[in-house]
Amino acid sequence: MKRAVFGICLFAAACSGDSVCGEDGSRFDADSGARYCVYEAAIVVEGGFECPAGFPIFIDAGPFGICSPDVDEEEDLPPELCRRFRLTCADDDADAGTDA
């Protein structure tokens, strides 16, 4: 499991290991300063999963489980987190035409 999470961190430059997210989680720092804990879905479905203190809201985001301090819908996650993990979020359509 540790290798899978480490792979996420290599893929996500804004992601760092952090005791706040636990041994199996990775912290994602958004441009806004907001922090999220990201987990492989396999870790989440093992049973008994609870988001860490300070990140009480769980978002099922396909191959990832995301714990958030204040966002409760995948569509409301920061655009950079959505792009990094290839999630569908509200700002994706607005950003699509800006990469000319």
Side-chain angles (χ1 to χ4, degrees):
M1 293 296 178
K2 290 181 186 178
R3 291 182 184 155
V5 174
F6 180 70
I8 293 172
C9 285
L10 288 177
F11 177 67
C15 181
S16 63
D18 192 314
S19 61
V20 169
C21 295
E23 185 177 307
D24 293 322
S26 297
R27 190 184 79 219
F28 182 89
D29 297 325
D31 293 343
S32 67
R35 292 182 171 172
Y36 301 87
C37 291
V38 181
Y39 302 87
E40 290 272 345
I43 292 168
V44 174
V45 298
E46 286 181 357
F49 180 83
E50 289 185 30
C51 287
F55 301 85
I57 302 168
F58 179 77
I59 301 167
D60 182 359
F64 304 102
I66 300 173
C67 294
S68 165
D70 56 5
V71 174
D72 60 0
E73 297 289 333
E74 182 177 346
E75 294 80 17
D76 296 330
L77 290 169
E80 64 271 22
L81 188 147
C82 297
R83 285 189 299 271
R84 182 81 57 190
F85 294 102
R86 299 180 182 181
L87 304 173
T88 303
C89 299
D91 289 339
D92 286 350
D93 292 333
D95 292 340
T98 60
D99 293 335

